[in-house]
Amino acid sequence: MRYITAFIFFFLTVLSSAQVNFDDFFSDKSLRFDYIIGGNSNETNVYFNKLKQEPYWGGSQKNLIDTFGFGDFKISVYDSSGVNLIYSRGFSSLYYEWIFTDEAKNINRAFYESVQIPYPKHKIFI
């Protein structure tokens, strides 16, 4: 009985951390998502700037779904249906550090930032 319980636990663990097949959705290039994040200690706004194709993807082709959730922000990429998560990554930014300063209590400031994702073969939702 103990072996059956261990097998079921192992099986559920594997299912919950299932990853996406890189070649089904992405090519070996990067898509850079540039944006401006701004605000103050009470309000944050994100403004899209541009997308740029980069020649290489330097990230993992195996672990495309972030299972740890580290960071204060997260980028999530869905397939064209908008239902299936095909890439996600948590990250932190300089802006998030700045909002805890005394300056952020009095003025607004904006930071230019970018995030890279694998280059999609088809339409996606970010």
Side-chain angles (χ1 to χ4, degrees), residues 18-113:
Q19 291 289 326
V20 173
N21 183 0
F22 183 88
D23 294 324
D24 290 347
F25 296 98
F26 303 107
S27 60
D28 198 21
K29 297 183 267 184
S30 296
L31 180 62
R32 193 178 80 202
F33 179 85
D34 293 355
Y35 60 97
I36 297 169
I37 187 167
N40 54 47
S41 61
N42 296 318
E43 181 181 34
T44 298
N45 296 297
V46 178
Y47 304 97
F48 168 74
N49 187 6
K50 66 181 173 183
L51 296 172
K52 183 170 190 238
Q53 179 180 324
E54 300 285 344
Y56 305 104
W57 170 244
S60 175
Q61 294 187 4
K62 299 280 184 204
N63 299 314
L64 300 175
I65 307 298
D66 185 358
T67 56
F68 295 110
F70 293 141
D72 304 303
F73 298 97
K74 180 179 184 179
I75 187 162
S76 299
V77 178
Y78 293 87
D79 67 359
S80 60
S81 71
V83 175
N84 301 313
L85 181 65
I86 58 174
Y87 179 82
S88 66
R89 192 67 58 224
F91 63 96
S92 291
S93 71
L94 182 60
Y95 170 79
Y96 194 73
E97 292 183 28
W98 175 79
I99 63 172
F100 295 106
T101 65
D102 289 335
E103 183 182 50
K105 295 175 186 173
N106 301 315
I107 64 169
N108 291 338
R109 191 166 301 275
F111 294 79
Y112 189 90
E113 298 183 1

